[in-house]
Amino acid sequence: MYYFTKSQAYKRLKRHFNEIKHIHMRDLFKSDGDRFEKFSIKLGPILFDFSKNRITEKTIELLIDLAHEASLEEKIKGMFSGEVINTTEKRRVMHWALRVPENKEVVVDGKNITKDVWNVLKKIEHFVKKVRSGTHMGFTNKKITDVVNIGIGGSDLGPKMVVKALNFLIPEDIKVHFVSNIDPAHLSMQLQRLNPETTLFIISSKSFTTLETMENAKRAREWIVENLKSADAVKNHFIAVSTNLQGVKEFGIAEENMFEFWDFVGGRYSLWSAIGISIALGIGFENFKKLLNGAHMVDEHFKNSPLNKNIPVIMGLLDIWYTNFFGASSIAILPYSQCLEEFPNHLQQLIMESNGKRVTKENRVVDFNTCPVIWGRVGTDGQHSFYQLIHQGTQLIPCDFIGFVKNPYNNEKIHDIFMANFFAQTKALMEGKQEQKVVEELKNSGLSDTEIQKILPHKVFPGNRPSNSILIDELTPYTLGALIALYEHRTFVQGCIWNINSFDQWGVELGKVLAKGIVNNLTTKETCNAYDSSTNGLINYYKKIKRG
Ligand code: G6Q
């Protein structure tokens, strides 16, 4: 049975790692003029350059051997044929089916899933058109001007990221907001700027039981009913997206205002489903379809391309290379696009919730590291903050640079300056700055030899810091859909190599239960003795100060 660190390929990679770990990328580039051609893949409007990684052709060959030994191709087939690969929750993993074109059947257990998917998509299309045209109005017959998505985790991060990224496609007469936190401040901050007569709430929750979402939804309902002075206003101002019809009905939202999705879609993979209705309301249904098309293009690429020409496969294998051989414990996501401000946040959930696991699919506690920490921030802001550590710190942090040739807000000249930073940073990380060059510069600036020796080590950059460059022609719904799908499949590849279940989230479920218990302790008068001394102490202090 396959186990990552016991595989033949792992052992060969370990030997290979020891042979190449001291080789500098600078030398790899010097000795091979074709490195960029060899280590880059073009996929439609996306150029993926992975040549600035600490790899040789041999590394890729061995990583591909590892993928074979882990049965990656069979596992990819398994996901795309609807096998129950989410074994702990006994579910299929079929977010990819949400972006299949209408004329392409996806048959599972004799049922054509595409039909169900497109029925909901058509319902979304119809509703979006009604809201945007002013046919669906508020209770007092005013056009909807503001849409508030109330949801958390997968029911928030994906749509929020896309809405922000494609903001330039949202017309001025509609605004899309997101409320996720149960901190009353979050909803209050939104409500104080909104007009109840023209606000539509989307209650997005796969389970329709999540505490944060349900509490915020109740408060929003009270706000509407109080301000519009009628419980009947709910039908004009609330819709729901969920798999839980009963829960939606009990909340008071009629079935015709509910948009369905299915158990085979994990929360963090759900922006393609009706959970994305806030996106469609903002950018329009046609653009939402283009987002789906871009992701579908990547699904086909992932399913059909040979492993060594397959972008998500190479991305995922490089993650293994750095995590399990170089000992890297994080990956920085660095979009050179203000529009992608929320992208690192979305990826944090996507990757860490998927692969932050410690037990294999065969129930064995692993003896190797799994998911690295995912973090990041848009360039060039990051450059003026944490890049210092990436350049000269003691940890190896592989980076993803993501940028676009064209800027949706035009201004070519300034965009060139912006992107010059992208290219310069990847080059500097790879090459570093050697002693000789620093000495030369310091001499030219008039420093004496003694002064130079004092400052020299601080000014040297070791380089040999790896990065991927993802350069995309233009930011559009299509390319954004493709980009997100690349990361979804990259996450899957990591999980296949580690042989973990990337599709459950028991750690998240734990949080949902824990807080519910403690809420009762906060509302009773009695001193709390139910927990450890720290938790009791904190709870009792909170109660004392609250009472005044
Ligand atoms: C995502 C997780 C989790 C989930 C939220 C919200 O993959 O399952 O982040 O999306 O906990 O859950 P509901 O959509 O059920 O409210």
Side-chain angles (χ1 to χ4, degrees):
M1 187 167 296
Y2 169 78
Y3 182 76
F4 172 47
T5 49
K6 295 268 178 286
S7 68
Q8 290 309 312
Y10 175 86
K11 289 175 195 153
R12 285 202 298 273
L13 274 161
K14 195 90 198 161
R15 280 197 296 274
H16 172 68
F17 168 72
N18 285 324
E19 282 156 24
I20 76 155
K21 64 183 177 198
H22 296 304
I23 299 181
H24 203 290
M25 275 192 278
R26 220 168 26 222
D27 299 322
L28 294 174
F29 272 95
K30 261 187 219 142
S31 63
D32 185 355
D34 292 335
R35 205 171 153 81
F36 170 72
E37 278 70 33
K38 278 182 192 157
F39 298 118
S40 60
I41 302 172
K42 182 89 172 73
L43 175 64
I46 300 174
L47 170 66
F48 173 58
D49 169 23
F50 59 105
S51 59
K52 291 194 186 92
N53 277 292
R54 292 171 70 169
I55 53 167
T56 62
E57 282 168 279
K58 180 86 186 157
T59 320
I60 295 297
E61 206 182 294
L62 292 173
L63 285 169
I64 299 289
D65 286 350
L66 174 67
H68 286 307
E69 217 174 322
S71 311
L72 178 61
E73 277 159 313
E74 289 75 8
K75 288 173 180 169
I76 295 174
K77 274 198 198 102
M79 176 169 72
F80 283 104
S81 57
E83 275 175 26
V84 181
I85 59 171
N86 177 358
T87 42
T88 58
E89 293 183 308
K90 298 195 178 65
R91 288 179 185 163
R92 304 174 201 283
V93 172
M94 294 183 62
H95 48 277
W96 53 269
L98 302 169
R99 43 221 195 195
V100 161
E102 194 177 1
N103 56 7
K104 221 165 148 180
E105 285 195 350
V106 174
V107 181
V108 173
D109 286 343
K111 195 165 185 248
N112 181 12
I113 303 283
T114 314
K115 209 160 166 253
D116 292 351
V117 167
W118 276 85
N119 281 342
V120 176
L121 279 173
K122 282 178 186 156
K123 188 170 171 182
I124 294 175
E125 178 178 22
H126 185 63
F127 183 73
V128 166
K129 282 190 176 147
K130 280 200 320 191
V131 172
R132 286 168 60 107
S133 65
T135 321
H136 175 105
M137 286 193 279
F139 188 59
T140 53
N141 288 332
K142 290 204 173 136
K143 190 173 181 293
I144 298 295
T145 58
D146 291 86
V147 174
V148 184
N149 183 79
I150 296 184
I152 196 163
S155 302
D156 167 70
L157 287 162
K160 183 163 66 188
M161 178 268 292
V162 174
V163 163
K164 183 116 195 189
L166 300 177
N167 181 53
F168 58 93
L169 294 174
I170 301 180
E172 287 206 337
D173 60 355
I174 192 153
K175 292 189 181 54
V176 187
H177 316 269
F178 291 84
V179 172
S180 53
N181 204 329
I182 194 165
D183 179 346
H186 201 179
L187 183 60
S188 299
M189 283 191 289
Q190 292 295 342
L191 294 184
Q192 69 191 21
R193 286 193 222 105
L194 294 171
N195 175 357
E197 290 182 280
T198 57
T199 301
L200 173 75
F201 290 96
I202 308 168
I203 311 305
S204 294
S205 175
K206 183 173 165 182
S207 58
F208 228 74
T209 55
T210 305
L211 186 67
E212 291 89 338
T213 302
M214 297 329 294
E215 288 305 316
N216 278 328
K218 281 185 222 156
R219 262 189 77 202
R221 187 178 55 192
E222 276 162 29
W223 183 74
I224 286 290
V225 172
E226 262 169 34
N227 281 288
L228 303 184
K229 300 185 175 42
S230 169
D232 290 344
V234 170
K235 70 176 182 313
N236 297 63
H237 293 271
F238 282 83
I239 61 167
V241 182
S242 188
T243 56
N244 175 1
L245 175 61
Q246 194 51 34
V248 171
K249 277 190 186 160
E250 280 163 18
F251 183 84
I253 296 176
E255 200 170 336
E256 72 257 25
N257 286 335
M258 166 174 168
F259 297 81
E260 182 195 10
F261 71 114
W262 307 271
D263 263 356
F264 59 72
V265 182
R268 52 200 175 274
Y269 299 88
S270 66
L271 70 91
W272 322 99
S273 71
I275 288 287
I277 195 165
S278 53
I279 305 172
L281 282 161
I283 66 174
F285 184 75
E286 285 309 310
N287 280 324
F288 184 65
K289 263 200 318 196
K290 289 180 193 158
L291 185 84
L292 302 183
N293 292 342
H296 179 67
M297 180 273 286
V298 167
D299 293 337
E300 292 297 300
H301 164 78
F302 183 52
K303 204 162 57 170
N304 301 322
S305 306
L307 298 186
N308 62 351
K309 297 273 171 257
N310 196 313
I311 300 179
V313 170
I314 298 291
M315 284 174 143
L317 291 175
L318 287 171
D319 295 335
I320 305 289
W321 181 230
Y322 292 118
T323 306
N324 301 107
F325 296 90
F326 282 86
S329 55
S330 81
I331 293 178
I333 308 292
L334 310 170
Y336 277 66
S337 165
Q338 194 60 36
C339 301
L340 292 193
E341 198 181 356
E342 293 287 336
F343 196 56
N345 292 344
H346 174 63
L347 294 191
Q348 280 192 330
Q349 186 199 23
L350 173 68
I351 306 176
M352 295 203 277
E353 199 169 289
S354 296
N355 289 339
K357 312 284 164 67
R358 51 184 278 286
V359 177
T360 67
K361 287 188 122 181
E362 274 87 36
N363 288 352
R364 181 164 168 182
V365 176
V366 297
D367 61 359
F368 49 84
N369 279 339
T370 59
C371 193
V373 173
I374 305 296
W375 59 290
R377 190 171 175 183
V378 290
T380 55
D381 287 359
Q383 285 175 215
H384 293 266
S385 138
F386 54 76
Y387 276 39
Q388 166 62 38
L389 183 146
I390 303 179
H391 280 289
Q392 288 189 305
T394 51
Q395 301 182 40
L396 181 85
I397 302 177
C399 302
D400 279 5
F401 285 78
I402 305 163
F404 299 90
V405 177
K406 291 183 198 151
N407 192 302
Y409 293 91
N410 297 318
N411 207 324
E412 211 175 292
K413 204 174 123 214
I414 298 181
H415 187 69
D416 285 349
I417 303 174
F418 186 35
M419 288 305 289
N421 277 279
F422 172 127
F423 303 129
Q425 287 290 337
T426 68
K427 180 175 172 297
L429 285 168
M430 182 273 284
E431 281 180 348
K433 200 168 181 187
Q434 290 170 282
E435 239 181 70
Q436 198 192 351
K437 174 106 175 104
V438 180
V439 171
E440 201 181 293
E441 277 181 15
L442 293 174
K443 267 195 180 145
N444 290 343
S445 73
L447 253 61
S448 70
D449 284 352
T450 331
E451 283 167 328
I452 290 176
Q453 286 317 312
K454 269 193 198 155
I455 189 92
L456 186 60
H458 302 276
K459 293 232 164 188
V460 168
F461 288 74
N464 219 9
R465 314 239 153 170
S467 66
N468 292 322
S469 293
I470 302 167
L471 185 57
I472 304 175
D473 294 356
E474 198 175 346
L475 176 58
T476 62
Y478 183 85
T479 58
L480 182 62
L483 179 69
I484 303 165
L486 283 177
Y487 277 89
E488 288 182 351
H489 295 320
R490 169 191 190 158
T491 306
F492 178 69
V493 171
Q494 294 175 357
C496 289
I497 302 294
W498 291 320
N499 196 27
I500 54 179
N501 181 359
S502 303
F503 301 101
D504 59 10
Q505 56 285 310
W506 300 105
V508 177
E509 312 299 339
L510 173 76
K512 292 188 182 186
V513 183
L514 281 182
K516 277 187 186 159
I518 290 186
V519 170
N520 298 330
N521 300 108
L522 297 183
T523 45
T524 54
K525 277 201 183 109
E526 292 78 44
T527 304
C528 176
N529 293 314
Y531 310 106
D532 58 88
S533 64
S534 163
T535 311
N536 290 338
L538 291 166
I539 291 173
N540 291 326
Y541 178 82
Y542 177 91
K543 287 163 71 150
K544 191 175 116 201
I545 297 296
K546 197 169 81 164
R547 278 199 304 269

